[in-house]
Every structure is written in C-alpha cells, then in structure tokens.
Amino acid sequence: MNIPVVTIDGPSGAGKGTVARNIAFELDFHLLDSGAIYRILGLAAMEQGIAFDDIDGLVALANSLELSFPYDQEHTAIILDGVPLGQKLRNQTVADAASQVAINPSVRKALMDLQRCQARAPGLVGDGRDLGTIVFPDADLKIFLNASVEVRAERRYLELNESGQIVERSVILRDLEIRDIRDRTREVAPLVPADGAHVIDSSEKTVAEVVTEVRELCEAKCLT
Ligand code: DC
C-alpha cells in the first residue's frame, strides 16, 4: 500500500515544526519531528557520558529508542519509552549536541528505520533536514522552508523567552550560524532542497500564510 508522505525540510527556526503539525492536523496524518530524534540522542549521550565521536555507543543508543509523536493543533508531544519528554529537548545545549551527533553517517543510518516506520496509514507529515532528500526520496510532496538567519534568531529568541530561558539575541544568532554551517556542509545528508522541492521563504510570512500555501500544494497533489 502506498502511504502518502509530505516532507518539510529546512534550517532551524524556519517554522517547519509548526507548519508540519498544522498540515498533519488538517490532513489527519501522523507526524514525525525528526529533529527531536537527534535531540534525544544528543541529550542521552550527554546524560550517559557517551562522547559525540563514540560511534558504537551512539549507534547502540540510536537502536534502543522507542518513540512516538502524538500531537494536537497546538502541541507536539514527544514520547520516549512511554514517557513524555516535555520541554527538556528545547534548549541551545541540546540543539548543539543534536547537530554534532547528526554529523555521523553510522548514526544517521541507525535512525533511518525508526523514521521510515512512522509512515503509516493514512499518511505522514515529517519535518527535518534530509527527509525529502534521503529518508523519503519518493515523498508525494516536498517542501523546503527557509527564512533569513536574523528572522530565525528572533523567532528562537521569543520562543526561548516564552519558556523562561533568558538567552541573548547575539548568542542565539551565533549558535544558529554555527549550526547552519555544520548542517549544510556535512558530508552525509547535508541540508539542501530535495529535487522537486517547493522552496518557500517564510521570512516575511505568518505561519497561517505558509500553512495555506502548503495546504494548496497538498490539494494540488490530491492529498486532502
Ligand atoms: O530541527 P531541530 O532544530 O530540532 O534539529 C536539531 C538538529 O538535529 C539539527 O541541527 C540537525 C539535526 N537534524 C538532522 O541532522 N536531520 C534531521 N532530519 C533533523 C535534524
């Protein structure tokens, strides 16, 4: 059976997660937050004292993850071994750890099945960096969601502030720039638009405008 898949890739802070959740909600599809998988791995590595270059340790950890992503229109819950992780993954230290463990080809390979098996009926909307290029190359609709680094840093600043984390704008901007370079220039699965991806720049757009644009693309592909 052919399961319809929509992929939304792009850099951090472009709005992928929110757009993916809204589209999944409208289509009544499953949701995959692939960044959360890398964040969990980064966090678990730090907590368990596994170095970011300890490939065997990271692969064993990757193979042991039991995850699901239940959501409603407002929130995505990340459930690890039956336990909701809450806001634990949403900070700069974990984001940086995620980006570092994500460089490793063996780690990425170990996470492939976990991501692919989220494609279950009636369909899947996933967001990440390489979903349209590597994980779901035959996806029915591929989106590459971009925004200027300044706009993304401002969004991240407001998001962190709202959750009570006080981080200077300049620090967020610098961290995003470092992470962008690492994600875009790594040898395996670098962040690039997939062939046939629709590129959307969200710098000057509201979430609602981007969701409408993606919904229209879904309609054009008869996914609704
Ligand atoms: O989307 P995010 O900010 O939660 O992702 C955190 C890091 O995980 C990101 O900097 C790179 C990595 N990542 C990846 O390499 N591939 C994905 N499909 C998703 C995330």
Side-chain angles (χ1 to χ4, degrees):
M1 181 183 167
N2 191 25
I3 309 285
V5 174
V6 177
T7 58
I8 305 181
D9 289 310
S12 188
K16 304 179 303 284
T18 311
V19 173
R21 185 174 59 245
N22 276 275
I23 295 296
F25 187 80
E26 290 189 15
L27 299 179
D28 204 14
F29 279 10
H30 296 284
L31 183 65
L32 164 63
D33 174 354
S34 66
I37 299 180
Y38 290 93
R39 285 173 185 256
I40 287 169
L41 206 56
L43 176 64
M46 285 190 294
E47 285 180 349
Q48 297 178 28
I50 299 172
F52 296 147
D53 59 0
D54 174 357
I55 300 169
D56 291 344
L58 289 175
V59 167
L61 206 53
N63 286 331
S64 72
L65 297 178
E66 283 283 338
L67 280 170
S68 63
F69 305 94
Y71 67 93
D72 59 24
Q73 197 166 9
E74 307 285 314
H75 308 101
T76 306
I78 296 151
I79 311 287
L80 175 63
D81 297 329
V83 181
L85 286 179
Q87 286 297 309
K88 234 177 141 185
L89 301 177
R90 301 283 148 209
N91 63 64
Q92 296 290 104
T93 313
V94 173
D96 187 64
S99 172
Q100 293 199 53
V101 296
I103 290 175
N104 195 289
S106 309
V107 171
R108 301 196 71 85
K109 192 159 169 273
L111 293 174
M112 199 64 83
D113 284 348
L114 179 63
Q115 296 175 84
R116 289 189 173 145
C117 72
Q118 306 294 324
R120 286 172 276 122
L124 179 74
V125 181
D127 82 270
R129 302 291 187 290
D130 63 340
L131 296 193
T133 49
I134 308 285
V135 184
F136 299 109
D138 299 325
D140 300 80
L141 176 66
K142 300 178 185 183
I143 307 291
F144 190 85
L145 190 57
N146 213 342
S148 73
V149 71
E150 291 78 15
V151 167
R152 292 187 284 122
E154 183 62 20
R155 287 178 185 161
R156 198 46 31 111
Y157 171 78
L158 295 173
E159 195 180 292
L160 289 173
N161 225 318
E162 207 171 293
S163 68
Q165 300 178 58
I166 311 301
V167 187
E168 278 188 39
R169 283 184 168 83
S170 59
V171 172
I172 296 177
L173 182 64
R174 195 204 53 215
D175 284 0
L176 269 185
E177 285 171 338
I178 294 172
R179 208 140 63 89
D180 275 2
I181 292 173
R182 198 187 291 132
D183 293 348
R184 289 188 158 120
T185 59
R186 66 183 177 216
E187 277 179 29
V188 179
L191 172 65
V192 286
D195 280 345
H198 297 263
V199 179
I200 300 176
D201 189 322
S202 73
S203 305
E204 309 281 324
K205 291 178 180 162
T206 63
V207 170
E209 285 170 329
V210 178
V211 169
T212 301
E213 210 169 319
V214 177
R215 186 197 308 119
E216 284 168 2
L217 290 166
C218 290
E219 281 164 6
K221 295 268 182 186
C222 299
L223 293 172
T224 51

